[in-house]
Amino acid sequence: MDETALIFAAQQGKVDAFNELVLAYQDQVYNLAYRIVGDPASAADATQEAFISAFQNIARFRGGSFKSYLMRIATNGCYDELRRRKRRPTTSFEDFGELDEEANPALINGSERPEEYAERQEMAHVIQAGIETLPPDQRITLVLSDVQGLSYQEIAEATDVSLGTVKSRLARARGKLRDYLRSQGELLPARYRLE
Amino acid sequence: MGRLFTRQARGRKQRDELLSAYLDGQLSTGERARLEARLATDSALEAELEALRHTVALVHDLPPTPIPRNFILPQTIAARPRPMPSKGHRSAWAAPLLTAATAVVSLLFVVVLAGDLLLSGTGRVAFAPAGERMMEAEAPQAALAPSQVSEEVTVEVEVEAEVKAETEEVIPAATPLPMPMEAPPEAIPEATAEAEHYAARTPEDVETTVAEEAAIAPTAPATPEGTLSPDQAMGGGQIEEPTVPAPTPSPSVAEEAAATPTSPATATAVPERNVGGIGPTPSEVAEVAPWAIGEEEPKAAESGRGAPEGEVVGVAAISPWRVLEAILGLVTLGLVLVTVWAWRVRRR
C-alpha cells in the first residue's frame, strides 16, 4: 500500500494503516528528537507523543508532504520539551554515561575497525554537545536541515517562519557550530579537525 | 572600540549567511558569480567557506541513533478520546487576563477610595447627615434655658390644617400625634447659625441674633419652602411651610428642639449631648454654617415632598461610597487570589 492510501486509511481510523507509517518514519522522528533534546529518554517520549498527536490530528492533514507534517508535530513537541527544561533544568542520563552508544556492540559497523568506531563516536559526542549550545530556534533549524535533509521550504513550513528567517537561522547555527568545533580543535580526531 | 566590534560581528554574520546560502545553492546567479569571484582572490574567505562546508558535512554524517523501541500505536488509540487542552494550556491565557483584570479592578478601587476620601475630607460636615448637624446645632442651644428657647428662639409655627392633612397622607406611620411644629431640613443651617449666636451671646441678645440670622437667608438661593423671610424672622422666625414631619420624638425633646427638624436618631442624641455637655464649639459651627446654607437649600427643595427626615438620615448613613468600596475591595482580593493560583498552575 502506498503512503497516500495509508494516510487515507488512517484518516478512516485504521490504526494498522497508521502504524505502517510509524514504522516508515520512526527512525527519522526519533533522530530528530534525539538531536534536538539530546537524551534518549526524552527523545523517545517526544517521538511517541508526536505519533499519537499525528494520528489524532490526521483528519486535518490535507495532502502535501507527510514527512513535513510529522516533522512539524515532532518539532513542536521538542520545543515544548526544551521550554520545560528551561523552567526545570534536569540532568540527563547521558551526562552520567549510562546510555552511551559505545556500549552497544550492534552499532559497530562490520567493516569499521574499533578505533575508527571510537573516533566516530567521539566526534558525534562533540558535535552533539555543539548543537546543544545553540538556541532552540537555531538548533531545530540546523537539525532539520543538516541532519534530516529538509529543504528551506519544508523547514519554513515545519517551524512556521519565513524562508528568510530559515536562511538566517541556519547560517547563524552553522557559524556558531563551526566556531565551537574550532574551539574544540585539540580534542577532535586529526581527520575531523577544522583548519 | 565597541562600534568596531559590532561592525565586525555584523560583517561576519553577513558573510556566514552568504556562504551558508551558497553551500545550499540558495544564491541567485548574480550573487553566486560575485561570491565566486571574491573566493578566487580571497583565501581567508575561501578558508571560511571550507570550514563551514566541513561543519555541515560533519553534522550530516552523524551516525543515526538507533531507536530504543518501536513506536507503533495500540489499537485502543482509535477509541481514546482526543485529549483536551491541559489546565496549563488553558491557564496560559487565563493568567495574563486575570492579571489585567486585577490591575483594572484594583485601580478602580484606589480611585473610588481616593475620591471618597477627598470628598469626605473637604465636605465632611457639609454632607454629613442632618442628624449630626442637628446635634451640633442643638448642643449649644440646649445650654439655654428651655423657657428662653421657647419664648424667643423657637420657631413657632401654626401648622395649617391642609399641611397637616398632607403630612399625614405622605407619612401615615410617622406619628399619631401631629408635631406642634415641624421644621423642614432647610431650617438646619439657620438653626445652626442661631445656635452659634446663642452660644456666644446672652439670652438678651437673642432677638437681634434672629434678625441677623434672617438677613443671611436671602443671600442663599431661595427655595419656596422653609426659607425664612425677613418678616418672618423679625416676627419670631416662623417657618412658612413645614414639609417634612419628623417621626415622633419624646415631647420634651420636641420642645427643646422645636426649631429644627427632628429624627429618632436626633431625638435620642440630644439629651445625651446635653447630659455629657459635649457639643461643637461655636467656632466649629461658625465654620460650617454658611456652607450649609448654600448647600442644603436645593436639596431641601428636592426632598420637600414630604420624605421623612429619618429616611434621609438612613440613606446617608449607608453611603453608596462605602458599599462600592466594600464591593471593589472584595472583588480585588478575590481576583488577586485567583490570579496567583492561575500563575502557579501555568508554571506547573
Side-chain angles (χ1 to χ4, degrees), chain A residues 7-66:
Chain A
I7 291 166
F8 181 76
Q11 285 175 326
Q12 308 307 309
K14 307 276 186 202
V15 181
D16 288 336
F18 187 79
N19 278 336
E20 293 283 323
L21 296 166
V22 171
L23 291 172
Y25 287 104
Q26 62 182 359
D27 285 277
Q28 288 181 56
V29 174
Y30 175 77
N31 270 274
L32 170 81
Y34 176 75
R35 292 298 168 203
I36 292 172
V37 299
D39 82 272
S42 299
D45 287 348
T47 305
Q48 189 68 76
E49 283 168 21
F51 281 122
I52 291 171
S53 178
F55 178 74
Q56 287 173 332
N57 293 289
I58 200 160
R60 294 182 195 169
F61 178 69
R62 300 274 178 237
S65 166
F66 186 70

Side-chain angles (χ1 to χ4, degrees), chain A residues 55-124:
Chain A
F55 178 74
Q56 287 173 332
N57 293 289
I58 200 160
R60 294 182 195 169
F61 178 69
R62 300 274 178 237
S65 166
F66 186 70
K67 184 183 173 183
S68 292
Y69 167 75
L70 272 180
M71 292 297 172
R72 182 189 179 115
I73 292 172
T75 301
N76 286 336
C78 292
Y79 261 124
D80 289 345
E81 173 62 21
L82 291 177
R83 281 193 209 106
R84 225 176 357 247
R85 283 186 187 181
K86 200 176 175 184
R87 288 198 297 267
R88 294 181 181 182
T90 52
T91 307
S92 74
F93 285 118
E94 272 218 330
D95 293 341
F96 299 105
E98 288 180 10
L99 288 170
D100 199 334
E101 288 152 17
E102 271 183 311
N104 188 348
L107 294 176
I108 299 176
N109 188 322
S111 62
E112 196 173 33
R113 288 182 300 166
E115 312 85 68
E116 288 173 350
Y117 174 78
E119 270 187 2
R120 196 156 59 90
Q121 291 303 315
E122 189 184 341
M123 190 62 213

Side-chain angles (χ1 to χ4, degrees), chain B residues 216-261:
Chain B
I216 297 170
T219 62
T223 55
E225 302 162 0
T227 312
L228 293 175
S229 69
D231 291 342
Q232 287 165 340
M234 292 299 278
Q238 277 195 341
I239 293 174
E240 188 182 32
E241 200 174 292
T243 54
V244 184
T248 318
S250 65
S252 62
V253 173
E255 284 173 18
E256 284 175 19
T260 57

Side-chain angles (χ1 to χ4, degrees), chain B residues 138 250 252-253 256 265-277:
Chain B
E138 282 168 357
S250 65
S252 62
V253 173
E256 284 175 19
T266 318
T268 54
V270 170
E272 282 172 22
R273 283 231 164 185
N274 290 343
V275 169

